[in-house]
Amino acid sequence: MSVLIRGGRVITAADDYVGDLFIEDETITLIGESLDVQADKVIDASGKYVLPGGVDPHTHLDMPWRGETTIDDFESGQTAAAFGGTTTHVDFCIQGKGQSFGEALEIWHGKREGKTLIDNGFHIAVTDLREGGTLEELASLPEQGVTSYKLFMAYKDSLMVDDETLFRTMQVAADTGALVMVHAENGDAIEVLIQEALAAGDTDPIYHALTRPPETEGEATNRAIQLARVAGSPLYVVHVSCAESVEPIAIAREKGWDVYGETCTQYFFIDQEYLARPNFEGAKYVYTPPPRPKQNQEVLWNAVRTDILSAISTDHCGYLFKGQKDHGRNDFSQIPNGGPGLENRLHMIHEFGVRSGRITLNRMVELLSTNPAKLFGLYPRKGTIAVGSDADLVVFDPEKRLTISAKTHHSRVDYNLFEATEVTGSPEVVLLRGQVLVEGDRLVASPGVGQFVKRARFGDELRRAPAAVA
Ligand code: URP
Ligand code: ZN
Ligand code: ZN
């Protein structure tokens, strides 16, 4: 099967030119002007952008946690991703207490069976090094293509690890070349604040934010950075939400340390006030870290513009408003933590990042695709448009208007964080390894087409240049 994408404006992290792309089987084999080739399928991309498929490094599909399971499984979540121009994601495989890493990975591989529409990898979330996985087993995971270790410094009732577990994992990563990821919040202090709020009868969703002040994120971010420095491991801080956490990352990067951070789409748009919405509607915005006071939004835009933060993910962790979120109606600490967003990252960042003049198109591609691919061992197979790269491509119509809504999105979540937001610019055709997934409003691929991707170790792919353009 061959595909010719003709006359599009090809945009990578570094390039911006009008050209043709020729795809044979799964990869790009020719790039040039007015290519003289025969193809089984021709896509006219004139007037459109051709972007590398999005890489979302932070999702939670089909994740059981605190008595609820996230409502999007691999089929619905990846369908939503495909419509939003994301062709690869890295999901969190959560080690259960007392479980080996191998057992956890087997369960997560089972979740994707027969359901995949895009490619994905797994991070391993380390929760138990005492009765579950061993350091030796952790060290063996990169051989299976699982090259990132995630630790939660919060959620004292469930996922949180102590500093010894964090530090020992960092030491293993320093040896194996894995990337350490942290959810950085001081879980001990937060637990005290939660118990105090509940004892005072403060049960509304707004207390989710008030019991997780930005300083608790700043403290944990700094602690993780310093510990990673001692252990000699690289560090990636997930879902950075506020100035208190941006600052220590900026300092570390200024010093040239191997420290990286991501923020998520929602932190640019949703502020703490949303949690105070009446009729329990604030529960829709209960995710962690919480939406912050509005002034943090410009801090985050500045951080992604200046490369203090390297990526934008979604932290897609969807729960129904009716039937899941409402289990915490009388106690904010029982509201399932998480929000949806897998489908709208490109829409929102294109509209309010690029069209509003905050970042360039190249930087958008870098934040949504190239940098996540580089940091998580997928580049240059993913994250760019080059000869030899997978033909994961988005033909993006910069003039197409869309009103974002739960009525039309593809996730199972019964609300949308960005409901009624109007954007100009949307994917028109989305291809995964040369196969058309989405054409206009239609999903044209069937579940099962997505593959598990074994990822390279941190740094391996950073040093490898993409294949030369023909
Ligand atoms: O609220 C969130 N973010 N839920 C998912 C788990 C996490 O902390 O990423
Ligand atoms: Zn988290
Ligand atoms: Zn998350």
Side-chain angles (χ1 to χ4, degrees), residues 58 60 63 65 70 92 150 152 155 159 183 185 208 238-239 266-267 286-289 315-317 319 325 336-339:
H58 187 158
H60 303 273
M63 179 182 76
W65 181 33
T70 55
F92 290 94
K150 164 79 178 290
F152 291 89
Y155 304 130
L159 303 172
H183 169 131
E185 283 185 309
H208 175 65
V238 303
H239 51 42
Q266 54 271 28
Y267 294 110
V286 169
Y287 44 77
T288 307
D315 192 6
H316 182 93
C317 184
Y319 296 100
K325 289 274 185 185
N337 281 208

Side-chain angles (χ1 to χ4, degrees), residues 121-425:
F122 288 129
H123 312 286
I124 189 79
V126 177
T127 66
D128 179 10
L129 285 178
R130 296 207 163 81
E131 281 146 32
T134 62
L135 294 173
E136 292 70 33
E137 194 194 5
L138 191 58
S140 72
L141 298 185
E143 282 149 37
Q144 299 171 40
V146 177
T147 55
S148 37
Y149 307 149
K150 164 79 178 290
L151 300 114
F152 291 89
M153 298 168 78
Y155 304 130
K156 202 167 177 187
D157 62 351
S158 52
L159 303 172
M160 179 171 150
V161 296
D162 57 18
D163 284 352
E164 181 182 347
T165 302
L166 172 62
F167 186 65
R168 285 192 187 281
T169 301
M170 287 172 164
Q171 288 181 315
V172 173
D175 282 347
T176 63
L179 177 59
V180 174
M181 308 168 78
V182 285
H183 169 131
E185 283 185 309
N186 186 315
D188 283 316
I190 287 168
E191 189 56 30
V192 171
L193 295 175
I194 290 173
Q195 294 313 325
E196 283 178 359
L198 293 176
D202 296 329
T203 59
D204 289 345
I206 184 66
Y207 288 96
H208 175 65
L210 299 180
T211 55
R212 310 184 93 91
E215 291 81 356
T216 59
E217 187 181 330
E219 184 278 329
T221 301
N222 187 48
R223 180 161 31 111
I225 289 171
Q226 301 300 337
L227 290 178
R229 184 80 185 145
V230 177
S233 71
L235 181 74
Y236 181 91
V237 184
V238 303
H239 51 42
V240 171
S241 71
C242 56
E244 284 77 358
S245 176
V246 167
E247 278 161 17
I249 294 170
I251 291 169
R253 291 178 63 73
E254 183 82 33
K255 288 176 188 286
W257 298 355
D258 250 345
V259 171
Y260 306 87
E262 67 168 26
T263 188
C264 313
T265 323
Q266 54 271 28
Y267 294 110
F268 295 113
F269 305 105
I270 292 161
D271 64 48
Q272 190 174 299
E273 296 297 308
Y274 281 61
L275 285 164
R277 289 189 170 183
N279 303 321
F280 193 61
E281 213 183 309
K284 292 178 179 173
Y285 311 99
V286 169
Y287 44 77
T288 307
R292 298 300 190 186
K294 204 165 184 57
Q295 65 269 22
N296 288 284
Q297 294 175 356
E298 278 314 310
V299 174
L300 294 176
W301 281 118
N302 188 51
V304 294
R305 192 176 50 76
T306 58
D307 205 35
I308 293 169
L309 295 179
S310 309
I312 302 172
S313 74
T314 63
D315 192 6
H316 182 93
C317 184
Y319 296 100
L320 296 170
F321 182 57
K322 290 200 179 76
Q324 291 188 297
K325 289 274 185 185
D326 50 8
H327 294 164
R329 200 169 266 281
N330 301 316
D331 174 353
F332 71 89
S333 72
Q334 299 304 310
I335 301 169
N337 281 208
L342 198 38
E343 187 161 346
N344 300 121
R345 181 178 63 147
L346 177 57
H347 293 129
M348 294 296 284
I349 300 303
H350 175 258
E351 177 68 35
F352 298 99
V354 177
R355 277 174 45 89
S356 302
R358 291 181 167 108
I359 56 172
T360 63
L361 268 172
N362 299 107
R363 182 63 181 161
M364 178 186 80
V365 168
E366 199 164 37
L367 289 162
L368 305 189
S369 180
T370 314
N371 280 352
K374 284 182 176 177
L375 287 161
F376 292 101
L378 293 160
Y379 184 85
R381 184 175 160 195
K382 312 284 188 189
T384 194
I385 296 174
V387 169
S389 294
D390 281 359
D392 297 351
L393 298 164
V394 179
V395 179
F396 183 89
D397 182 350
E399 304 301 331
K400 186 171 168 184
R401 301 179 73 137
L402 174 79
T403 303
I404 294 173
S405 174
K407 291 191 192 83
T408 48
H409 74 194
H410 298 83
S411 156
R412 290 183 185 148
V413 178
D414 55 356
Y415 68 97
N416 190 301
L417 291 176
F418 315 115
E419 185 69 30
T421 304
E422 292 178 6
V423 297
T424 302

